Amino acid sequence: MLPINSLVMYKGRPAIVVAADLDRISIRTIDAEEKRVRPKDVAMAHTGPISRFPENRAPDEVMEALELLQTEHPEGIPLISWKDFAELAWSDPKPEHIVIAWHELSNNPAVETLDEGIRIRSEEEQHKIRDKQQKKKEAAEAKAAFLVAFRAAWKKKDSSPIEGNSTFQPFLDELSRYARGLADDSPIARELGIKLAPQAVHEALLSSGYWNLAVNPWPERNGCIMSEPEAPLALEERKELAIDRLDLRALPSYAIDNAWSKDPDDAISVEGENVWIHVADPASIVGPFSRLDAEAMERGSTLYLPEKIVPMLPDALVQKMGLGLSAESKALSFRITLRGDGKIADISILPSMVAVQRLTYEQADAMLEDNPVLQKLSKIASVRAELRRRQNAVDIDFPEVAVHVVDGLPTFLPVPQTRSARIVQELMILAGEAAARWAFEKGIPFPFATQDPPVSENLAGCGAGPSSSLAENFTRRRSMRAALVSSTCSAHAGLGLSFYSQVTSPLRRYQDLLAHYQIHAVLAAANKLDRNNAPSEPDLLISADTMNERLFRYSDQAAKNRQAERDSRAHWTLVYLSMNPDWRGEGIVLDASAETGQIFIPQFGYEFQTRIPRGIHVDSRVSLALRRVSVPDLFASFDILPQGT
């Protein structure tokens, strides 16, 4: 049993034993706390007696004893008891001497204080500790200086106080990472008194001048991958597919897209009663369990931002496989025979070699009057559109505006409503139906796209055909349910189809690439059958469980990408408005049924909610004046001006 009024060490600090029983002792710590502890939890320092702790003072004896030990043992001492050290400093030590020694040594870098005594560090250890303490001191000084400088820059809206000081960079990087959504916390923001929200830190970075309006944080906030994928050293066809390509180079084929498109992955042609839809064939190179596949799955889709495009697949692969980027292109071609009413009569999917002519929508429209191929495809597209309307398809025609940014300056280009765009859209839907029917008949796991009927068939205008009313198109869009992708085949109500999958964009959408993996697996099995004259299982097929897992991950990332694209278009619209605070323009009323309605600005393709004055009806054109804009909050408000203003 420990003596009453003896000196012990408890968790590295002195304490006095004030009471004891069979299994516990009561101690009073140097911090004046009373505790009941087990005897094994303390270490005896001196039998005492001691009733109170002495005042903190630093006699010469402590440092003289320490210097003597360091001189004799430059390599350090693993342990010297408190009592032995006190005897070296004072020939007849009392417990108070041990407390005094503890006070003097507890913050000395040469010493590590323990319950049983002290460990004297080697000279090398001491140097490292002093160096660490110095760096800690410098970091604290740098942080204090940064807080002063940033507050000054923030207040003055002038970046000069924070420019040219490299010690400030870690703090600026921390703020930037938090504002971009790449970190969950920012201690420096809290110390600056900034509300811990990405938008608030974004605002502070703008106000300080460290960021300018061109910084777009939304893709990273939404969890998008912003780096470009790396291409492998070799881009060769998968040997296990043993592809035998059909030569279709003599067939006139057209890849029709926007003028700014850099990744053409579909083309159209016609031959007799057969419609041909050629699709880029990256799955002939990218395997379903390869590094390129894993990276494409993580990205989900190509990210189309106003300021840049971040591809799903490496640019070298896109350049090699894009249709019409070379004199001849490898493709996966869908040969579809239609009945007179537009229904599918026969489907074949064949690897091919095609010669594709690239056209813009405007160029294709100009050729429609004289080009027999485009004329026939136009008639087929019209028949198909009418068929889908009879099957209760929903037509939504909403203006699109492309936003492009060069050197931080946004421009807004209306996407023209062309005949050729409608032809291409209809034939891509045809390819999607054909692929889904083909896969369903084969009984293979496939990425089927489905959509439940709208919340109201009347509001959605099911089967009614196109509407010239922008407000009606807005209502139709709002009444639609979300489309889903899974290995379960079901109807796609919005398109008016019993079978549908997306297969025509494998260079930029992972769902389509998955479909191509499965198609190639079936074709490879058929090749083995032809060569061996014996049944062959499509052993390259992805299982249903794997398919659903991949589709879940794809859908999650694709949704993030779509949100990032929407947020980025809004961001650059608000950047433009910030640069033009006196902006006035025209809006179209989409919804005036509630106190807060919806207005569309055709110049930007931008929608916003606001109070609609009485007497203004949907589809009315109203004059607008910018009232307030906040780029960090992705918010703008407008005044509706009186008529004639």
Side-chain angles (χ1 to χ4, degrees):
M1 186 177 295
L2 296 174
I4 306 301
N5 291 334
S6 60
L7 180 69
V8 296
M9 288 290 178
Y10 174 69
K11 293 186 176 180
R13 303 177 71 78
I16 298 172
V17 179
V18 295
D21 53 32
L22 290 176
D23 62 346
R24 297 281 174 173
I25 61 172
S26 296
I27 61 173
R28 183 175 69 253
T29 71
I30 197 167
D31 302 314
E33 293 181 341
E34 299 284 341
K35 293 183 176 292
R36 277 179 57 79
V37 299
R38 295 172 298 180
K40 70 175 185 178
D41 293 333
V42 300
M44 173 64 75
H46 198 289
T47 56
I50 180 171
S51 57
R52 62 185 181 83
F53 295 104
E55 294 181 4
N56 181 16
R57 55 193 178 90
D60 294 339
E61 290 91 340
V62 176
M63 295 310 299
E64 289 171 359
L66 178 60
E67 289 171 6
L68 176 63
L69 290 171
Q70 288 179 296
T71 301
E72 293 180 351
H73 303 277
E75 76 285 357
I77 300 176
L79 183 69
I80 179 170
S81 72
W82 287 107
K83 188 174 181 181
D84 288 346
F85 181 84
E87 285 179 350
L88 184 63
W90 300 275
S91 57
D92 184 21
K94 301 204 170 15
E96 289 82 0
H97 289 138
I98 293 176
V99 178
I100 291 169
W102 175 83
H103 272 299
E104 181 67 10
L105 298 176
S106 57
N107 291 315
N108 192 313
V111 174
E112 180 184 4
T113 58
L114 307 166
D115 282 355
E116 295 79 9
I118 62 173
R119 183 176 75 86
I120 299 178
R121 297 184 171 104
S122 67
E123 291 181 358
E124 183 180 356
E125 277 187 282
Q126 293 177 52
H127 175 75
K128 289 180 180 178
I129 289 173
R130 282 192 292 268
D131 187 52
K132 185 177 180 180
Q133 290 175 338
Q134 179 63 26
K135 288 180 179 178
K136 187 176 180 180
K137 179 184 176 184
E138 291 172 356
E141 291 172 350
K143 181 194 284 187
F146 174 76
L147 293 173
V148 172
F150 192 87
R151 287 188 180 109
W154 191 5
K155 182 178 180 180
K156 297 177 182 178
K157 300 186 183 302
D158 176 11
S159 64
S160 56
I162 56 176
E163 288 177 349
N165 190 329
S166 60
T167 63
F168 291 171
Q169 197 58 50
F171 308 113
L172 291 167
D173 289 344
E174 179 188 315
L175 291 171
S176 297
R177 284 183 58 79
Y178 183 79
R180 290 180 181 277
L182 300 176
D184 295 327
D185 189 19
S186 174
I188 200 70
R190 282 189 269 108
E191 292 195 49
L192 285 165
I194 304 172
K195 180 182 177 182
L196 207 59
Q199 293 89 335
V201 177
H202 185 176
E203 176 63 49
L205 289 169
L206 284 177
S207 295
S208 71
Y210 182 67
W211 274 13
N212 57 43
L213 289 173
V215 176
N216 174 16
W218 292 101
E220 288 163 309
R221 280 191 203 167
N222 280 290
C224 300
I225 300 173
M226 296 300 292
S227 60
E228 296 199 5
E230 294 184 8
L233 295 177
L235 293 171
E236 299 176 350
E237 282 193 345
R238 296 160 57 196
K239 293 180 180 179
E240 68 271 22
L241 298 180
I243 296 173
D244 184 14
R245 294 189 180 274
L246 179 66
D247 188 350
L248 296 176
R249 287 174 292 182
L251 188 66
S253 303
Y254 303 100
I256 308 172
D257 210 334
N258 291 304
W260 54 82
S261 171
K262 304 295 183 185
D263 46 9
D265 49 11
D266 55 69
I268 53 177
S269 55
V270 65
E271 181 186 39
E273 299 303 315
N274 298 319
V275 178
W276 284 95
I277 299 162
H278 313 294
V279 183
D281 193 12
S284 64
I285 292 176
V286 181
F289 298 99
S290 64
R291 181 185 65 79
L292 283 177
D293 167 72
E295 188 164 5
M297 178 170 58
E298 290 301 314
R299 293 173 181 274
S301 63
T302 293
L303 187 63
Y304 293 95
L305 304 175
E307 67 271 32
K308 66 182 298 187
I309 295 173
V310 184
M312 180 184 77
L313 293 171
D315 184 64
L317 181 59
V318 174
Q319 293 303 313
K320 182 180 180 70
M321 304 305 293
L323 300 188
L325 296 181
S326 301
E328 53 188 40
S329 306
K330 295 176 179 179
L332 200 59
S333 294
F334 295 75
R335 182 177 63 196
I336 305 166
T337 306
L338 298 175
R339 299 192 182 107
D341 59 0
K343 292 184 178 181
I344 295 175
D346 188 54
I347 304 162
S348 297
I349 306 178
L350 307 161
S352 66
M353 186 70 73
V354 293
V356 172
Q357 180 181 352
R358 295 187 67 195
L359 299 172
T360 66
Y361 289 128
E362 292 79 6
Q363 289 171 333
D365 272 14
M367 292 171 59
L368 269 169
E369 299 304 321
D370 302 315
N371 186 292
V373 172
L374 293 179
Q375 287 176 347
K376 189 166 185 178
L377 289 171
S378 177
K379 291 178 181 177
I380 292 170
S382 297
V383 171
R384 284 287 302 176
E386 184 56 36
L387 168 68
R388 292 193 304 105
R389 287 189 197 109
R390 292 197 304 271
Q391 296 174 168
N392 267 356
V394 177
D395 278 293
I396 299 175
D397 188 8
F398 216 79
E400 291 184 55
V401 176
V403 186
H404 296 284
V405 175
V406 179
D407 297 330
L409 298 176
T411 57
F412 303 87
L413 303 173
V415 177
Q417 300 292 312
T418 63
R419 288 176 61 193
S420 56
R422 288 191 290 272
I423 294 169
V424 171
Q425 179 187 43
E426 198 60 54
L427 295 181
M428 296 307 107
I429 294 172
L430 171 61
E433 181 190 0
R437 285 183 178 275
W438 180 90
F440 184 78
E441 290 172 2
K442 301 290 184 185
I444 62 173
F446 208 68
F448 296 104
T450 66
Q451 187 179 42
D452 288 340
V455 294
S456 166
E457 292 193 2
N458 184 48
L459 290 176
C462 291
S467 171
S468 60
S469 165
L470 204 58
E472 184 174 345
N473 281 287
F474 172 75
T475 301
R476 290 182 180 185
R477 188 183 70 187
R478 194 165 53 175
S479 67
M480 300 303 294
R481 301 182 193 272
L484 301 174
V485 186
S486 76
S487 64
T488 301
C489 185
S490 187
H492 194 295
L495 295 176
L497 297 174
S498 299
F499 300 86
Y500 186 63
S501 180
Q502 290 183 300
V503 295
T504 58
S505 296
L507 292 176
R508 44 186 167 178
R509 194 165 51 214
Y510 186 70
Q511 170 188 342
D512 303 48
L513 189 60
L514 274 177
H516 282 227
Y517 290 155
Q518 301 297 77
I519 292 170
H520 269 300
V522 173
L523 298 182
N527 281 342
K528 287 183 181 179
L529 173 62
D530 291 342
R531 293 172 184 177
N532 302 332
N533 198 28
S536 175
E537 292 294 324
D539 54 359
L540 299 176
L541 276 177
I542 297 171
S543 69
D545 286 345
T546 301
M547 174 70 68
N548 285 328
E549 178 199 354
R550 291 183 169 210
L551 287 174
F552 176 81
R553 295 176 65 180
Y554 155 75
S555 298
D556 180 61
Q557 187 59 46
K560 293 176 181 177
N561 291 354
R562 288 192 297 271
Q563 187 61 51
E565 290 168 352
R566 286 192 293 267
D567 290 342
S568 296
R569 286 193 293 269
H571 168 85
W572 286 107
T573 301
L574 300 186
V575 168
Y576 177 87
L577 291 171
S578 293
M579 295 175 173
N580 297 272
D582 298 325
W583 179 88
R584 291 191 175 196
E586 186 178 71
I588 301 173
V589 179
L590 300 177
D591 178 27
S593 60
E595 183 176 338
T596 300
Q598 192 91 354
I599 291 180
F600 175 77
I601 303 179
Q603 179 182 346
F604 309 123
Y606 181 74
E607 296 178 35
F608 68 96
Q609 289 185 331
T610 189
R611 292 176 63 89
I612 307 292
R614 290 184 179 180
I616 296 182
H617 303 290
V618 296
D619 284 324
S620 298
R621 293 183 177 268
V622 293
S623 297
L624 302 171
L626 179 64
R627 181 195 306 160
R628 188 170 74 86
V629 60
S630 171
V631 172
D633 292 321
L634 218 61
F635 171 81
S637 61
F638 302 83
D639 291 319
I640 299 177
L641 302 176
Q643 290 185 355
T645 302

